Amino acid sequence: MSSAVQFRVRIYRGDTTAIGPGKVQLLEAIAETGSISAAARQTGMSYRRAWVLVDEMNRALVAPAVDAATGGSHGGGTTLTDVGRRIVRHYRAIEAAARSAAEDDIAALTRLLAP
């Protein structure tokens, strides 16, 4: 059986998770697909859940992370704003720095796992 290590950073604003692993994953999927509904499918969540997460995030930030255009004759679309791109970049940098800083301890702990 293989082992895995995850860092799960959450930044709260009041009782709401303003930035966390699920929201960052959703932002990455939106950037990749250009659509909240496609991003929801890709991440295995309902459209409603994805929309709630985007709305929570947008309301918690100084500026929206996601810009959604409604459909029409030219179609809709969803893009990340500069704030959204910065959230993803900084969040993934924190994960990489934490993993690097804890590399020896992670190795020591995983050596304690049964084969």
Side-chain angles (χ1 to χ4, degrees):
M1 181 179 287
S2 67
S3 61
V5 177
Q6 288 184 331
F7 292 95
R8 315 249 334 151
V9 176
R10 287 180 177 83
I11 300 173
Y12 293 90
R13 183 173 179 260
D15 293 335
T16 301
T17 303
I19 301 168
K23 289 179 178 174
V24 170
Q25 182 184 22
L26 181 60
L27 288 176
E28 290 172 324
I30 289 169
E32 183 179 322
T33 64
S35 160
I36 292 175
S37 60
R41 284 190 301 275
Q42 182 175 311
T43 58
M45 66 179 72
S46 70
Y47 173 79
R48 168 121 174 88
R49 177 70 179 141
W51 183 253
V52 166
L53 292 178
V54 166
D55 186 53
E56 282 178 356
M57 204 172 356
N58 282 346
R59 284 186 287 114
L61 298 167
V62 295
V66 174
D67 182 29
T70 57
S73 61
H74 300 290
T78 306
T79 59
L80 296 190
T81 64
D82 181 57
V83 168
R85 289 186 297 276
R86 289 168 52 198
I87 287 169
V88 171
R89 185 177 69 246
H90 290 303
Y91 190 90
R92 295 304 182 203
I94 289 168
E95 285 182 327
R99 184 173 301 279
S100 178
E103 185 176 0
D104 292 342
D105 292 313
I106 290 169
L109 287 175
T110 56
R111 284 192 299 271
L112 298 174
L113 297 175

